[in-house]
Amino acid sequence: MEIYIDTANIEHIEYAAKLGFVSGVTTNPSLLAKEDPKVDVKKRILEIHSLIGGHLSVEVNSTNCEGMLREAEEIVSWFPEATIKIPMIPEGLMAVYELAKKGIPSNVTLIFSTTQAIAANNAGASYVSLFMGRLDDISSNSSEVLQDICDIWDLHAYSSEIIAASIRHPLHIIEAAKAGAHIATVPYKVIMQSLKHPLTDAGIEAFSKDYEKMLAEKKKIINV
Ligand code: E4P
């Protein structure tokens, strides 16, 4: 399962890119506004693109097909390998269908049910993003929905890739991997949390102390 970072924060993307296992970025209007409400979106997106180089999903803001297609054309003119993030609404599916005909990849966002995921796949989406955290927030079992989607994808050999989105904690990453999602898009804080273990820290502390002891002993021998 691939890991993407779900942010528009340059420092976090820069750091994540160096870790070697983060292969893409997903953004949305809220993530961009959180960094700077006055942000120059084109400039920020191109900056992100130059940092990570892999997958980059950029979301449209229109809610009608024509507007979404216009925005998609503009984003693709910034960098041709862009993936266009389209909301899971009927007009969005129409836009996905048109984009697929032109060979422009789309990521259908705000998916909360299995039937929405099937519709997005059949309209020609390249990616379907299931929002796990937001489903859990309303007491729906997101891992059950994700498991259903993954099982159906296997059964029918559907071509779109399943993204586990709205990840809130490392357990969501494990659930996504076990279900068979192709990608989990993870906030920076959760990426860092997922790398930490108290026994790793305790082990490093013990190794450093023992190394210092050895150095001190060597110094004593040299000084004798
Ligand atoms: C990713 O594509 C989504 O925009 C994102 O994961 C939403 O996450 P949130 O529910 O934490 O806002």
Side-chain angles (χ1 to χ4, degrees), residues 6 26-28 59 85 109 129 131 134 165-168 185:
D6 194 24
T26 52
T27 59
N28 65 35
E59 190 155 342
K85 232 169 144 190
T109 188
S129 287
F131 276 41
R134 293 194 199 189
S166 187
I167 297 279
R168 299 277 164 81
T185 188

Side-chain angles (χ1 to χ4, degrees), residues 104-124:
I104 298 175
S106 60
N107 171 0
V108 176
T109 188
L110 291 166
I111 289 182
F112 295 94
S113 75
T114 311
T115 49
Q116 287 181 321
I118 293 171
N121 174 79
N122 291 2

Side-chain angles (χ1 to χ4, degrees), residues 4 20 25 37 41 48 50 53 67 80 108 114 141 180-181 187 207 218 224:
Y4 293 171
V25 181
V41 175
I48 294 173
S50 71
V108 176
T114 311
N141 189 330
F207 289 156
K218 272 187 196 152
V224 167

